[in-house]
C-alpha cells in the first residue's frame, strides 16, 4: 500500500518534470552534441555530403590568427564588464535601499530601462552617439575644447574596443541592480539598527553586513556576466563594428557567425562553438573556486 502511494507520488511529479526535461534535451542537449559531432566533419551546411575531417578543424583552430585576438577581446569585455557593472549596480542598489529615497521607484525604472529595449536599438543608438560628424559625443567634447572634433570612435583600432564598453555596461546595470536590491531587501533591518547602535558607519555596515549576506547573489551575478558575454557579445559587435577595423573588435561569437553563416564553413563554426563552451566551463569553475565563501545564515 505504501509502495503504491509512493509510486503514484513519483508519477505525479514526473508528469510535471518530463515536458520540461524534453524541451531542455531538444533545445540544449541535442544542439550541444550535434555541434560537437559537426566539428569533426567538413560541411558547408547546404550540401548533403559530409566529409569526415577528424581533428583537422581543431588543428585549424589552433593555427587561426584571429582566434587569439577574439579570445583576448572576449576577456577584455568580461574583465571590464564585471568590474564596472558590479560596481555601479551595487552602488545604486545600496544607495536606493539604504538611503530610502522617495523617488526609489522612479530611479529603479530609469536604471532598468535599457533592459527592456532591444539590443539592436541599443547598438543603433550608440552608433549614432559615436558618429564622427553628427554624433553627440564629439559635439559634447567640442563644447569644452572649442574646436570641432571628428574622432572616429568605432573606426579607430585603438578606440573601437573601448567604445563597445559603454553600451555593454549601460545595458546590464539595471538587471544586476535589481538582483542585488532583492537580496538587500531580504536582510533584517534589526542587523543595521544594532550596527548603528554600536557606532558602525555606512561603509562598515556595507562591508560587514550587506556584502557578506548578498555574497551568493553577487557571485552568481559575476558568473552570469561571464557566460552572457562569451555567448552574447557578438550582437553588439555585429551592430556597431562588424568585427572591424581589421578584426580589432572580433569576438568568438561573431567569428562563429561569420564562419558558419557568412562563409558557409559550418563545421568550423561548430568547432568555435565547442571552444566557447569549454572557455565558459573553465572560467566558471575558476570563478567558483576564487569567489567561494562559507554561506552565512540569517
Amino acid at each position: 500500500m505504501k509502495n503504491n502511494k509512493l509510486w503514484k507520488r513519483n508519477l505525479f511529479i514526473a508528469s510535471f518534470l518530463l515536458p520540461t526535461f524534453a524541451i531542455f534535451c531538444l533545445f540544449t542537449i541535442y544542439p550541444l552534441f550535434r555541434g560537437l559531432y559537426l566539428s569533426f566533419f567538413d560541411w558547408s551546411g547546404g550540401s548533403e555530403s559530409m566529409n569526415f575531417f577528424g581533428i583537422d578543424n581543431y588543428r585549424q583552430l589552433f593555427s587561426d590568427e584571429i582566434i587569439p585576438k577574439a579570445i583576448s577581446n572576449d576577456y577584455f569585455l568580461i574583465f571590464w564588464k564585471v568590474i564596472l557593472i558590479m560596481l555601479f549596480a551595487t552602488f545604486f542598489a545600496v544607495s536606493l535601499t539604504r538611503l530610502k529615497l522617495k523617488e526609489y521607484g522612479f530611479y529603479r525604472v530609469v536604471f532598468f530601462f535599457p533592459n527592456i529595449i532591444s539590443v539592436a536599438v541599443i547598438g543603433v543608438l550608440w552608433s549614432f552617439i559615436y558618429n564622427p560628424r553628427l554624433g553627440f559625443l564629439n559635439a559634447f567634447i567640442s563644447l569644452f575644447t572649442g574646436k570641432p572634433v571628428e574622432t572616429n570612435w568605432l573606426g579607430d583600432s585603438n578606440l573601437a574596443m573601448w567604445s563597445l564598453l559603454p553600451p555593454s555596461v549601460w545595458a546590464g546595470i539595471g538587471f544586476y541592480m535589481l538582483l542585488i536590491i532583492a537580496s538587500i531587501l531580504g536582510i533584517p533591518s534589526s542587523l543595521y539598527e544594532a550596527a548603528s547602535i554600536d557606532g558602525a558607519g555606512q561603509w562598515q555596515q556595507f562591508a560587514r553586513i550587506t556584502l557578506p549576506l548578498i555574497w551568493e547573489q553577487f557571485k552568481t551575478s559575476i558568473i552570469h556576466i561571464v557566460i552572457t558575454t562569451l555567448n552574447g557579445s557578438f550582437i553588439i559587435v555585429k551592430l556597431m563594428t562588424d568585427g572591424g577595423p581589421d578584426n580589432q573588435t572580433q569576438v568568438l561569437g561573431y567569428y562563429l557567425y561569420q564562419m558558419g553563416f557568412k562563409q558557409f564553413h559550418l563545421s568550423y563554426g561548430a568547432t568555435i562553438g565547442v571552444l566557447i563552451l569549454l572557455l565558459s566551463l573553465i572560467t566558471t569553475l575558476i570563478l567558483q573556486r576564487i569567489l567561494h565563501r562559507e554561506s552565512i545564515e540569517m
Side-chain angles (χ1 to χ4, degrees):
M1 188 69 179
K2 187 177 180 181
N3 288 336
N4 192 34
K5 282 185 178 179
L6 185 63
W7 186 84
K8 285 182 178 178
R9 178 176 171 273
N10 290 338
L11 184 65
F12 179 74
I13 294 172
S15 67
F16 284 95
L17 291 179
L18 278 177
T20 306
F21 182 69
I23 293 172
F24 177 73
C25 289
L26 181 64
F27 293 103
T28 304
I29 301 298
Y30 172 72
L32 176 67
F33 284 99
R34 179 67 176 171
L36 185 62
Y37 174 76
L38 288 178
S39 69
F40 293 103
F41 287 84
D42 177 24
W43 188 46
S44 66
S47 61
E48 293 183 359
S49 61
M50 293 173 61
N51 301 317
F52 184 70
F53 234 35
I55 60 170
D56 283 5
N57 282 325
Y58 290 93
R59 287 201 184 105
Q60 183 182 345
L61 197 71
F62 283 105
S63 61
D64 192 332
E65 295 178 354
I66 296 176
I67 292 294
K69 185 66 184 174
I71 294 175
S72 168
N73 286 338
D74 270 318
Y75 280 92
F76 171 88
L77 287 174
I78 287 171
F79 177 79
W80 286 110
K81 280 178 70 175
V82 166
I83 290 177
L84 295 174
I85 288 178
M86 295 311 296
L87 184 67
F88 283 113
T90 306
F91 174 76
F92 291 135
V94 173
S95 299
L96 291 177
T97 50
R98 299 296 300 144
L99 295 180
K100 298 179 180 177
L101 299 174
K102 290 182 180 178
E103 303 83 2
Y104 167 72
F106 171 75
Y107 286 125
R108 197 170 60 169
V109 171
V110 167
F111 290 128
F112 191 71
F113 178 72
N115 293 95
I116 62 175
I117 58 178
S118 165
V119 178
V121 175
I122 291 174
V124 173
L125 175 67
W126 279 85
S127 294
F128 279 120
I129 291 174
Y130 286 133
N131 189 288
R133 294 186 177 177
L134 305 173
F136 165 78
L137 185 56
N138 281 344
F140 182 74
I141 296 173
S142 297
L143 290 176
F144 296 94
T145 61
K147 300 176 183 177
V149 177
E150 293 189 357
T151 303
N152 190 353
W153 298 93
L154 299 175
D156 188 320
S157 58
N158 295 317
L159 298 173
M161 272 311 293
W162 289 101
S163 301
L164 294 179
L165 266 180
S168 303
V169 171
W170 180 66
I173 289 175
F175 175 73
Y176 297 102
M177 182 194 73
L178 286 188
L179 290 180
I180 296 172
I181 283 177
S183 298
I184 293 175
L185 292 177
I187 300 174
S189 58
S190 57
L191 292 177
Y192 292 108
E193 291 167 3
S196 296
I197 293 171
D198 289 339
Q202 289 293 330
W203 171 252
Q204 289 174 313
Q205 291 180 28
F206 170 75
R208 296 181 181 179
I209 299 175
T210 307
L211 190 58
L213 291 177
I214 66 169
W215 187 253
E216 284 301 315
Q217 188 62 62
F218 202 80
K219 184 176 74 175
T220 304
S221 298
I222 290 174
I223 292 172
H224 189 257
I225 292 173
V226 171
I227 294 171
T228 52
T229 301
L230 276 171
N231 290 282
S233 59
F234 79 94
I235 302 174
I236 207 79
V237 170
K238 163 67 179 168
L239 291 167
M240 295 183 68
T241 64
D242 209 23
D246 193 24
N247 287 313
Q248 289 301 308
T249 58
Q250 188 65 266
V251 292
L252 285 174
Y254 187 56
Y255 194 45
L256 182 159
Y257 168 76
Q258 284 183 316
M259 289 291 108
F261 301 102
K262 294 181 80 175
Q263 299 187 22
F264 300 105
H265 194 347
L266 204 64
S267 293
Y268 189 55
T271 311
I272 298 171
V274 173
L275 176 63
I276 294 173
L277 174 66
L278 289 176
L279 289 176
S280 298
L281 288 173
I282 293 169
T283 309
T284 301
L285 289 174
I286 292 172
L287 282 174
Q288 286 275 16
R289 192 166 184 82
I290 293 173
L291 299 174
H292 176 73
R293 279 188 180 186
E294 293 295 329
S295 59
I296 299 173
E297 299 290 338
M298 283 188 285

